[in-house]
PDB file of all heavy atoms in Angstrom:
ATOM      1  N   ALA A   1     -13.004  -6.334 -15.093  1.00  0.00           N
ATOM      2  CA  ALA A   1     -11.649  -6.685 -15.138  1.00  0.00           C
ATOM      3  C   ALA A   1     -10.689  -5.869 -14.417  1.00  0.00           C
ATOM      4  O   ALA A   1      -9.663  -6.328 -13.955  1.00  0.00           O
ATOM      5  CB  ALA A   1     -11.192  -6.818 -16.741  1.00  0.00           C
ATOM      6  N   ALA A   2     -11.027  -4.581 -14.232  1.00  0.00           N
ATOM      7  CA  ALA A   2     -10.198  -3.736 -13.536  1.00  0.00           C
ATOM      8  C   ALA A   2     -10.173  -3.957 -12.059  1.00  0.00           C
ATOM      9  O   ALA A   2      -9.213  -3.730 -11.304  1.00  0.00           O
ATOM     10  CB  ALA A   2     -10.513  -2.221 -13.835  1.00  0.00           C
ATOM     11  N   ALA A   3     -11.353  -4.433 -11.593  1.00  0.00           N
ATOM     12  CA  ALA A   3     -11.484  -4.650 -10.073  1.00  0.00           C
ATOM     13  C   ALA A   3     -10.387  -5.567  -9.539  1.00  0.00           C
ATOM     14  O   ALA A   3      -9.755  -5.223  -8.558  1.00  0.00           O
ATOM     15  CB  ALA A   3     -12.823  -5.065  -9.770  1.00  0.00           C
ATOM     16  N   PRO A   4     -10.126  -6.761 -10.152  1.00  0.00           N
ATOM     17  CA  PRO A   4      -9.107  -7.558  -9.630  1.00  0.00           C
ATOM     18  C   PRO A   4      -7.780  -6.940  -9.518  1.00  0.00           C
ATOM     19  O   PRO A   4      -6.985  -7.120  -8.492  1.00  0.00           O
ATOM     20  CB  PRO A   4      -9.185  -8.821 -10.473  1.00  0.00           C
ATOM     21  CG  PRO A   4     -10.476  -8.892 -11.090  1.00  0.00           C
ATOM     22  CD  PRO A   4     -10.880  -7.400 -11.219  1.00  0.00           C
ATOM     23  N   ARG A   5      -7.313  -6.217 -10.562  1.00  0.00           N
ATOM     24  CA  ARG A   5      -6.128  -5.553 -10.472  1.00  0.00           C
ATOM     25  C   ARG A   5      -6.004  -4.529  -9.445  1.00  0.00           C
ATOM     26  O   ARG A   5      -5.028  -4.386  -8.709  1.00  0.00           O
ATOM     27  CB  ARG A   5      -5.768  -4.928 -11.892  1.00  0.00           C
ATOM     28  CG  ARG A   5      -4.367  -4.230 -11.950  1.00  0.00           C
ATOM     29  CD  ARG A   5      -3.985  -3.589 -13.297  1.00  0.00           C
ATOM     30  NE  ARG A   5      -2.740  -3.198 -13.336  1.00  0.00           N
ATOM     31  CZ  ARG A   5      -2.291  -2.010 -12.891  1.00  0.00           C
ATOM     32  NH1 ARG A   5      -3.105  -1.158 -12.284  1.00  0.00           N
ATOM     33  NH2 ARG A   5      -1.002  -1.682 -12.992  1.00  0.00           N
ATOM     34  N   ALA A   6      -7.035  -3.701  -9.274  1.00  0.00           N
ATOM     35  CA  ALA A   6      -7.118  -2.691  -8.252  1.00  0.00           C
ATOM     36  C   ALA A   6      -7.101  -3.307  -6.858  1.00  0.00           C
ATOM     37  O   ALA A   6      -6.370  -2.832  -6.012  1.00  0.00           O
ATOM     38  CB  ALA A   6      -8.355  -1.749  -8.433  1.00  0.00           C
ATOM     39  N   GLU A   7      -7.785  -4.406  -6.769  1.00  0.00           N
ATOM     40  CA  GLU A   7      -7.821  -5.100  -5.439  1.00  0.00           C
ATOM     41  C   GLU A   7      -6.434  -5.700  -5.084  1.00  0.00           C
ATOM     42  O   GLU A   7      -5.989  -5.634  -3.922  1.00  0.00           O
ATOM     43  CB  GLU A   7      -8.838  -6.213  -5.459  1.00  0.00           C
ATOM     44  CG  GLU A   7     -10.233  -5.746  -5.407  1.00  0.00           C
ATOM     45  CD  GLU A   7     -11.322  -6.724  -5.719  1.00  0.00           C
ATOM     46  OE1 GLU A   7     -10.960  -7.928  -5.688  1.00  0.00           O
ATOM     47  OE2 GLU A   7     -12.525  -6.372  -5.875  1.00  0.00           O
ATOM     48  N   ARG A   8      -5.856  -6.275  -6.112  1.00  0.00           N
ATOM     49  CA  ARG A   8      -4.451  -6.788  -5.872  1.00  0.00           C
ATOM     50  C   ARG A   8      -3.462  -5.684  -5.487  1.00  0.00           C
ATOM     51  O   ARG A   8      -2.623  -5.842  -4.566  1.00  0.00           O
ATOM     52  CB  ARG A   8      -3.861  -7.509  -7.170  1.00  0.00           C
ATOM     53  CG  ARG A   8      -4.491  -8.943  -7.338  1.00  0.00           C
ATOM     54  CD  ARG A   8      -3.686  -9.714  -8.365  1.00  0.00           C
ATOM     55  NE  ARG A   8      -3.513  -8.996  -9.653  1.00  0.00           N
ATOM     56  CZ  ARG A   8      -4.346  -9.083 -10.671  1.00  0.00           C
ATOM     57  NH1 ARG A   8      -5.399  -9.801 -10.617  1.00  0.00           N
ATOM     58  NH2 ARG A   8      -4.011  -8.486 -11.757  1.00  0.00           N
ATOM     59  N   LEU A   9      -3.547  -4.501  -6.162  1.00  0.00           N
ATOM     60  CA  LEU A   9      -2.626  -3.419  -5.804  1.00  0.00           C
ATOM     61  C   LEU A   9      -2.966  -2.955  -4.365  1.00  0.00           C
ATOM     62  O   LEU A   9      -1.971  -2.741  -3.624  1.00  0.00           O
ATOM     63  CB  LEU A   9      -2.925  -2.152  -6.752  1.00  0.00           C
ATOM     64  CG  LEU A   9      -2.249  -2.280  -8.117  1.00  0.00           C
ATOM     65  CD1 LEU A   9      -2.591  -1.097  -8.962  1.00  0.00           C
ATOM     66  CD2 LEU A   9      -0.692  -2.254  -7.899  1.00  0.00           C
ATOM     67  N   LEU A  10      -4.204  -2.838  -4.100  1.00  0.00           N
ATOM     68  CA  LEU A  10      -4.556  -2.430  -2.606  1.00  0.00           C
ATOM     69  C   LEU A  10      -4.065  -3.455  -1.675  1.00  0.00           C
ATOM     70  O   LEU A  10      -3.399  -3.004  -0.674  1.00  0.00           O
ATOM     71  CB  LEU A  10      -6.058  -2.281  -2.531  1.00  0.00           C
ATOM     72  CG  LEU A  10      -6.669  -1.744  -1.205  1.00  0.00           C
ATOM     73  CD1 LEU A  10      -6.040  -0.352  -0.970  1.00  0.00           C
ATOM     74  CD2 LEU A  10      -8.149  -1.684  -1.248  1.00  0.00           C
ATOM     75  N   ALA A  11      -4.261  -4.748  -1.910  1.00  0.00           N
ATOM     76  CA  ALA A  11      -3.880  -5.835  -0.936  1.00  0.00           C
ATOM     77  C   ALA A  11      -2.260  -5.847  -0.903  1.00  0.00           C
ATOM     78  O   ALA A  11      -1.719  -5.941   0.203  1.00  0.00           O
ATOM     79  CB  ALA A  11      -4.360  -7.138  -1.467  1.00  0.00           C
ATOM     80  N   SER A  12      -1.604  -5.679  -1.984  1.00  0.00           N
ATOM     81  CA  SER A  12      -0.187  -5.660  -2.036  1.00  0.00           C
ATOM     82  C   SER A  12       0.346  -4.443  -1.269  1.00  0.00           C
ATOM     83  O   SER A  12       1.328  -4.562  -0.423  1.00  0.00           O
ATOM     84  CB  SER A  12       0.345  -5.574  -3.423  1.00  0.00           C
ATOM     85  OG  SER A  12       0.022  -6.701  -4.173  1.00  0.00           O
ATOM     86  N   GLY A  13      -0.298  -3.322  -1.449  1.00  0.00           N
ATOM     87  CA  GLY A  13       0.163  -2.114  -0.671  1.00  0.00           C
ATOM     88  C   GLY A  13      -0.005  -2.222   0.789  1.00  0.00           C
ATOM     89  O   GLY A  13       0.877  -1.911   1.586  1.00  0.00           O
ATOM     90  N   HIS A  14      -1.193  -2.801   1.272  1.00  0.00           N
ATOM     91  CA  HIS A  14      -1.388  -3.034   2.604  1.00  0.00           C
ATOM     92  C   HIS A  14      -0.342  -4.013   3.242  1.00  0.00           C
ATOM     93  O   HIS A  14       0.160  -3.717   4.388  1.00  0.00           O
ATOM     94  CB  HIS A  14      -2.762  -3.592   2.902  1.00  0.00           C
ATOM     95  CG  HIS A  14      -3.866  -2.517   2.851  1.00  0.00           C
ATOM     96  ND1 HIS A  14      -3.960  -1.421   3.676  1.00  0.00           N
ATOM     97  CD2 HIS A  14      -4.864  -2.302   1.975  1.00  0.00           C
ATOM     98  CE1 HIS A  14      -4.991  -0.608   3.372  1.00  0.00           C
ATOM     99  NE2 HIS A  14      -5.552  -1.151   2.250  1.00  0.00           N
ATOM    100  N   TRP A  15      -0.125  -5.013   2.544  1.00  0.00           N
ATOM    101  CA  TRP A  15       0.840  -6.051   2.957  1.00  0.00           C
ATOM    102  C   TRP A  15       2.258  -5.376   3.138  1.00  0.00           C
ATOM    103  O   TRP A  15       2.965  -5.543   4.121  1.00  0.00           O
ATOM    104  CB  TRP A  15       0.916  -7.265   2.047  1.00  0.00           C
ATOM    105  CG  TRP A  15       1.822  -8.334   2.572  1.00  0.00           C
ATOM    106  CD1 TRP A  15       1.588  -9.239   3.599  1.00  0.00           C
ATOM    107  CD2 TRP A  15       3.062  -8.629   2.022  1.00  0.00           C
ATOM    108  NE1 TRP A  15       2.609 -10.041   3.747  1.00  0.00           N
ATOM    109  CE2 TRP A  15       3.622  -9.692   2.837  1.00  0.00           C
ATOM    110  CE3 TRP A  15       3.905  -8.096   1.078  1.00  0.00           C
ATOM    111  CZ2 TRP A  15       4.797 -10.338   2.560  1.00  0.00           C
ATOM    112  CZ3 TRP A  15       5.186  -8.708   0.880  1.00  0.00           C
ATOM    113  CH2 TRP A  15       5.634  -9.802   1.557  1.00  0.00           C
ATOM    114  N   LEU A  16       2.726  -4.692   2.039  1.00  0.00           N
ATOM    115  CA  LEU A  16       3.953  -4.038   2.145  1.00  0.00           C
ATOM    116  C   LEU A  16       4.108  -2.913   3.220  1.00  0.00           C
ATOM    117  O   LEU A  16       5.069  -2.889   4.003  1.00  0.00           O
ATOM    118  CB  LEU A  16       4.377  -3.345   0.779  1.00  0.00           C
ATOM    119  CG  LEU A  16       4.704  -4.242  -0.316  1.00  0.00           C
ATOM    120  CD1 LEU A  16       4.763  -3.468  -1.722  1.00  0.00           C
ATOM    121  CD2 LEU A  16       6.094  -4.884  -0.072  1.00  0.00           C
ATOM    122  N   LEU A  17       3.024  -2.205   3.474  1.00  0.00           N
ATOM    123  CA  LEU A  17       3.033  -1.219   4.493  1.00  0.00           C
ATOM    124  C   LEU A  17       3.084  -1.746   5.908  1.00  0.00           C
ATOM    125  O   LEU A  17       3.636  -1.105   6.761  1.00  0.00           O
ATOM    126  CB  LEU A  17       1.666  -0.426   4.370  1.00  0.00           C
ATOM    127  CG  LEU A  17       1.608   0.633   3.274  1.00  0.00           C
ATOM    128  CD1 LEU A  17       0.213   1.186   3.220  1.00  0.00           C
ATOM    129  CD2 LEU A  17       2.657   1.700   3.431  1.00  0.00           C
ATOM    130  N   SER A  18       2.794  -3.003   6.038  1.00  0.00           N
ATOM    131  CA  SER A  18       2.885  -3.635   7.438  1.00  0.00           C
ATOM    132  C   SER A  18       4.351  -3.808   7.759  1.00  0.00           C
ATOM    133  O   SER A  18       4.730  -4.081   8.883  1.00  0.00           O
ATOM    134  CB  SER A  18       2.157  -4.857   7.440  1.00  0.00           C
ATOM    135  OG  SER A  18       2.637  -5.887   6.511  1.00  0.00           O
ATOM    136  N   ALA A  19       5.281  -3.576   6.745  1.00  0.00           N
ATOM    137  CA  ALA A  19       6.719  -3.621   7.048  1.00  0.00           C
ATOM    138  C   ALA A  19       7.310  -2.211   7.339  1.00  0.00           C
ATOM    139  O   ALA A  19       8.482  -1.991   7.509  1.00  0.00           O
ATOM    140  CB  ALA A  19       7.506  -4.227   5.877  1.00  0.00           C
ATOM    141  N   ALA A  20       6.444  -1.152   7.351  1.00  0.00           N
ATOM    142  CA  ALA A  20       6.891   0.139   7.551  1.00  0.00           C
ATOM    143  C   ALA A  20       7.076   0.444   8.989  1.00  0.00           C
ATOM    144  O   ALA A  20       6.251   0.010   9.858  1.00  0.00           O
ATOM    145  CB  ALA A  20       5.864   1.131   6.920  1.00  0.00           C
ATOM    146  N   PRO A  21       8.086   1.219   9.485  1.00  0.00           N
ATOM    147  CA  PRO A  21       8.191   1.639  10.773  1.00  0.00           C
ATOM    148  C   PRO A  21       7.009   2.454  11.204  1.00  0.00           C
ATOM    149  O   PRO A  21       6.544   2.384  12.424  1.00  0.00           O
ATOM    150  CB  PRO A  21       9.539   2.489  10.805  1.00  0.00           C
ATOM    151  CG  PRO A  21      10.192   2.171   9.601  1.00  0.00           C
ATOM    152  CD  PRO A  21       9.169   1.688   8.537  1.00  0.00           C
ATOM    153  N   SER A  22       6.429   3.267  10.309  1.00  0.00           N
ATOM    154  CA  SER A  22       5.272   4.071  10.621  1.00  0.00           C
ATOM    155  C   SER A  22       4.378   3.991   9.369  1.00  0.00           C
ATOM    156  O   SER A  22       4.750   4.496   8.319  1.00  0.00           O
ATOM    157  CB  SER A  22       5.612   5.498  10.853  1.00  0.00           C
ATOM    158  OG  SER A  22       4.402   6.350  10.758  1.00  0.00           O
ATOM    159  N   ILE A  23       3.273   3.230   9.516  1.00  0.00           N
ATOM    160  CA  ILE A  23       2.315   3.037   8.443  1.00  0.00           C
ATOM    161  C   ILE A  23       1.828   4.402   7.808  1.00  0.00           C
ATOM    162  O   ILE A  23       1.827   4.638   6.597  1.00  0.00           O
ATOM    163  CB  ILE A  23       1.308   2.088   8.704  1.00  0.00           C
ATOM    164  CG1 ILE A  23       1.854   0.709   8.830  1.00  0.00           C
ATOM    165  CG2 ILE A  23       0.115   2.050   7.603  1.00  0.00           C
ATOM    166  CD1 ILE A  23       0.947  -0.408   9.374  1.00  0.00           C
ATOM    167  N   PRO A  24       1.334   5.317   8.657  1.00  0.00           N
ATOM    168  CA  PRO A  24       0.830   6.578   8.156  1.00  0.00           C
ATOM    169  C   PRO A  24       1.900   7.367   7.403  1.00  0.00           C
ATOM    170  O   PRO A  24       1.692   7.933   6.359  1.00  0.00           O
ATOM    171  CB  PRO A  24       0.368   7.297   9.454  1.00  0.00           C
ATOM    172  CG  PRO A  24       0.024   6.268  10.440  1.00  0.00           C
ATOM    173  CD  PRO A  24       1.099   5.175  10.105  1.00  0.00           C
ATOM    174  N   GLN A  25       3.113   7.313   7.928  1.00  0.00           N
ATOM    175  CA  GLN A  25       4.189   8.065   7.242  1.00  0.00           C
ATOM    176  C   GLN A  25       4.600   7.454   5.925  1.00  0.00           C
ATOM    177  O   GLN A  25       4.687   8.120   4.935  1.00  0.00           O
ATOM    178  CB  GLN A  25       5.447   8.110   8.098  1.00  0.00           C
ATOM    179  CG  GLN A  25       6.670   8.769   7.482  1.00  0.00           C
ATOM    180  CD  GLN A  25       7.894   8.830   8.424  1.00  0.00           C
ATOM    181  OE1 GLN A  25       7.834   8.487   9.483  1.00  0.00           O
ATOM    182  NE2 GLN A  25       8.998   9.149   7.739  1.00  0.00           N
ATOM    183  N   ALA A  26       4.598   6.091   5.848  1.00  0.00           N
ATOM    184  CA  ALA A  26       4.856   5.414   4.589  1.00  0.00           C
ATOM    185  C   ALA A  26       3.777   5.752   3.595  1.00  0.00           C
ATOM    186  O   ALA A  26       4.056   5.920   2.369  1.00  0.00           O
ATOM    187  CB  ALA A  26       4.983   3.949   4.864  1.00  0.00           C
ATOM    188  N   GLN A  27       2.520   5.701   3.975  1.00  0.00           N
ATOM    189  CA  GLN A  27       1.372   6.001   3.103  1.00  0.00           C
ATOM    190  C   GLN A  27       1.654   7.429   2.558  1.00  0.00           C
ATOM    191  O   GLN A  27       1.340   7.587   1.349  1.00  0.00           O
ATOM    192  CB  GLN A  27       0.052   5.979   3.847  1.00  0.00           C
ATOM    193  CG  GLN A  27      -0.355   4.481   4.137  1.00  0.00           C
ATOM    194  CD  GLN A  27      -1.625   4.400   4.957  1.00  0.00           C
ATOM    195  OE1 GLN A  27      -1.731   5.105   5.980  1.00  0.00           O
ATOM    196  NE2 GLN A  27      -2.527   3.591   4.522  1.00  0.00           N
ATOM    197  N   ARG A  28       1.912   8.366   3.408  1.00  0.00           N
ATOM    198  CA  ARG A  28       2.159   9.739   2.944  1.00  0.00           C
ATOM    199  C   ARG A  28       3.277   9.767   1.911  1.00  0.00           C
ATOM    200  O   ARG A  28       3.229  10.435   0.865  1.00  0.00           O
ATOM    201  CB  ARG A  28       2.413  10.669   4.118  1.00  0.00           C
ATOM    202  CG  ARG A  28       1.240  11.098   4.878  1.00  0.00           C
ATOM    203  CD  ARG A  28       1.526  12.201   5.855  1.00  0.00           C
ATOM    204  NE  ARG A  28       2.546  11.890   6.812  1.00  0.00           N
ATOM    205  CZ  ARG A  28       2.423  11.229   8.024  1.00  0.00           C
ATOM    206  NH1 ARG A  28       1.251  10.805   8.345  1.00  0.00           N
ATOM    207  NH2 ARG A  28       3.472  10.978   8.808  1.00  0.00           N
ATOM    208  N   GLU A  29       4.370   9.081   2.244  1.00  0.00           N
ATOM    209  CA  GLU A  29       5.549   9.126   1.391  1.00  0.00           C
ATOM    210  C   GLU A  29       5.157   8.426  -0.016  1.00  0.00           C
ATOM    211  O   GLU A  29       5.585   9.027  -1.082  1.00  0.00           O
ATOM    212  CB  GLU A  29       6.775   8.300   1.874  1.00  0.00           C
ATOM    213  CG  GLU A  29       7.344   8.981   3.119  1.00  0.00           C
ATOM    214  CD  GLU A  29       8.374   8.129   3.819  1.00  0.00           C
ATOM    215  OE1 GLU A  29       8.455   6.914   3.521  1.00  0.00           O
ATOM    216  OE2 GLU A  29       9.018   8.682   4.767  1.00  0.00           O
ATOM    217  N   TRP A  30       4.463   7.391  -0.070  1.00  0.00           N
ATOM    218  CA  TRP A  30       4.051   6.821  -1.278  1.00  0.00           C
ATOM    219  C   TRP A  30       3.130   7.783  -2.003  1.00  0.00           C
ATOM    220  O   TRP A  30       3.334   7.974  -3.289  1.00  0.00           O
ATOM    221  CB  TRP A  30       3.256   5.560  -1.012  1.00  0.00           C
ATOM    222  CG  TRP A  30       4.130   4.251  -1.022  1.00  0.00           C
ATOM    223  CD1 TRP A  30       5.446   4.224  -1.270  1.00  0.00           C
ATOM    224  CD2 TRP A  30       3.735   2.987  -0.756  1.00  0.00           C
ATOM    225  NE1 TRP A  30       5.894   2.992  -1.193  1.00  0.00           N
ATOM    226  CE2 TRP A  30       4.865   2.120  -0.841  1.00  0.00           C
ATOM    227  CE3 TRP A  30       2.519   2.316  -0.326  1.00  0.00           C
ATOM    228  CZ2 TRP A  30       4.879   0.739  -0.496  1.00  0.00           C
ATOM    229  CZ3 TRP A  30       2.499   1.046  -0.064  1.00  0.00           C
ATOM    230  CH2 TRP A  30       3.581   0.221  -0.170  1.00  0.00           C
ATOM    231  N   ALA A  31       2.167   8.375  -1.365  1.00  0.00           N
ATOM    232  CA  ALA A  31       1.351   9.351  -2.039  1.00  0.00           C
ATOM    233  C   ALA A  31       2.064  10.587  -2.603  1.00  0.00           C
ATOM    234  O   ALA A  31       1.733  11.132  -3.628  1.00  0.00           O
ATOM    235  CB  ALA A  31       0.218   9.773  -1.064  1.00  0.00           C
ATOM    236  N   THR A  32       3.072  11.050  -1.851  1.00  0.00           N
ATOM    237  CA  THR A  32       3.724  12.299  -2.174  1.00  0.00           C
ATOM    238  C   THR A  32       4.912  12.004  -3.112  1.00  0.00           C
ATOM    239  O   THR A  32       5.123  12.726  -4.126  1.00  0.00           O
ATOM    240  CB  THR A  32       4.361  12.948  -0.994  1.00  0.00           C
ATOM    241  OG1 THR A  32       3.226  13.169  -0.082  1.00  0.00           O
ATOM    242  CG2 THR A  32       5.015  14.235  -1.315  1.00  0.00           C
TER     243      THR A  32
END
């Protein structure tokens, strides 16, 4: 049951990140 939620979060994150001016920078900002 946790896999679909985790997969949705991952997919949502990737999709949102595609709107970032710099994907690596946005990933670091989210993580930090």
